């Protein structure tokens, strides 16, 4: 029998609400060494995902040019933009930082339940070109999350069990 999601998921899951500022979401991602996290409503139901890629894509769209150092998006350093920071540049950074997660989160989220087997999870990740899949209950409440690293860890830990299937 293949490993189910409930046996490889990480929990509890750090989530954000749709009204969380982009600055705060970026801080949470950075503080926890995550590349993305679920977005939930007031009832803790999954409504989206926000990732580093979403934040960088949005920031570059607003600024209109590549960033020298994406980790410094929310500072007022002259190194953030390819042009000297002016009053307008500072306003742009403050605008980006205060934007809410709702503006740029991915809404069409691929999720699984706790019984979904590892082979189905890896197929979904590959076919949808995604790096993480939330595990939800029947009410769409986030129970855990599975990343590519969790899949690899599960494979290494359970190699014999997986090869028997």
């Amino acid at each position: 029998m293949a490993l189910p999601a409930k046996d490889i998921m990480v929990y509890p899951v750090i989530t954000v609400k749709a009204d969380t500022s982009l600055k705060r979401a970026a801080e949470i991602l950075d503080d926890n060494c995550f590349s993305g996290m679920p977005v939930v409503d007031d009832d803790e139901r999954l409504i989206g995902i926000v990732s580093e890629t979403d934040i960088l894509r949005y920031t570059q769209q607003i600024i209109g040019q590549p960033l020298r150092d994406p980790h410094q998006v929310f500072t007022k350093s002259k190194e953030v933009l390819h042009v000297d920071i002016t009053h307008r540049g500072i306003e742009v950074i403050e605008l980006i930082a205060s934007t809410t997660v709702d503006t740029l989160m991915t809404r069409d989220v691929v999720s699984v339940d706790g019984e979904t087997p590892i082979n189905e999870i890896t197929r979904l990740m590959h076919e949808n070109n995604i790096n993480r899949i939330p595990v939800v209950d029947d009410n769409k409440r986030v129970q855990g999350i599975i990343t590519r690293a969790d899949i690899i860890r599960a494979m290494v830990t359970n190699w014999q069990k997986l090869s028997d299937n």
Side-chain angles (χ1 to χ4, degrees), residues 11-72:
Y11 62 91
V13 181
I14 295 174
T15 61
V16 292
K17 302 279 170 98
D19 63 354
T20 302
S21 74
L22 210 48
K23 180 178 182 180
R24 182 66 189 129
E27 289 169 347
I28 294 168
L29 291 173
D30 186 51
D31 289 347
N32 293 283
C33 298
F34 296 157
S35 62
M37 64 188 153
V39 181
V40 296
D41 65 14
D42 290 335
D43 293 321
E44 301 298 319
R45 288 187 301 255
L46 180 67
I47 59 170
I49 289 272
V50 64
S51 70
E52 290 174 334
T53 301
D54 297 328
I55 294 170
L56 290 174
R57 187 179 304 126
Y58 179 77
T59 301
Q60 289 179 334
Q61 178 184 354
I62 297 299
I63 292 174
Q65 57 185 312
L67 303 173
R68 283 191 182 178
D69 184 356
H71 296 287
Q72 299 297 317

Side-chain angles (χ1 to χ4, degrees), residues 6-165:
K6 66 183 178 187
D7 289 350
I8 58 176
M9 70 183 188
V10 173
Y11 62 91
V13 181
I14 295 174
T15 61
V16 292
K17 302 279 170 98
D19 63 354
T20 302
S21 74
L22 210 48
K23 180 178 182 180
R24 182 66 189 129
E27 289 169 347
I28 294 168
L29 291 173
D30 186 51
D31 289 347
N32 293 283
C33 298
F34 296 157
S35 62
M37 64 188 153
V39 181
V40 296
D41 65 14
D42 290 335
D43 293 321
E44 301 298 319
R45 288 187 301 255
L46 180 67
I47 59 170
I49 289 272
V50 64
S51 70
E52 290 174 334
T53 301
D54 297 328
I55 294 170
L56 290 174
R57 187 179 304 126
Y58 179 77
T59 301
Q60 289 179 334
Q61 178 184 354
I62 297 299
I63 292 174
Q65 57 185 312
L67 303 173
R68 283 191 182 178
D69 184 356
H71 296 287
Q72 299 297 317
V73 169
F74 302 113
T75 69
K76 295 178 183 175
S77 162
K78 287 184 181 179
E79 293 301 312
V80 176
L81 305 177
H82 285 269
V83 296
D84 287 336
I85 286 270
T86 61
H87 182 68
R88 168 88 173 108
I90 291 170
E91 287 175 357
V92 169
I93 291 170
E94 288 172 349
L95 169 71
I96 293 167
S98 66
T99 300
T100 60
V101 167
D102 183 59
T103 304
L104 59 119
M105 71 182 185
T106 300
R107 295 172 192 284
D108 187 19
V109 181
V110 175
S111 63
V112 297
D113 65 41
E115 296 302 322
T116 305
I118 191 172
N119 57 327
E120 175 68 7
I121 297 164
T122 56
R123 183 188 68 74
L124 288 168
M125 284 181 168
H126 175 73
E127 286 181 0
N128 292 284
N129 194 29
I130 54 178
N131 301 327
R132 70 203 56 78
I133 294 184
V135 180
V136 298
D137 65 15
D138 292 338
N139 295 314
K140 298 293 275 183
R141 287 190 180 88
V142 178
Q143 303 297 299
I145 194 160
I146 299 172
T147 66
R148 293 177 301 172
D150 300 322
I151 297 285
I152 298 299
R153 189 176 311 104
M155 290 172 64
V156 169
T157 303
N158 297 282
W159 200 259
Q160 187 61 44
K161 185 189 297 186
L162 292 169
S163 64
D164 291 342
N165 293 316

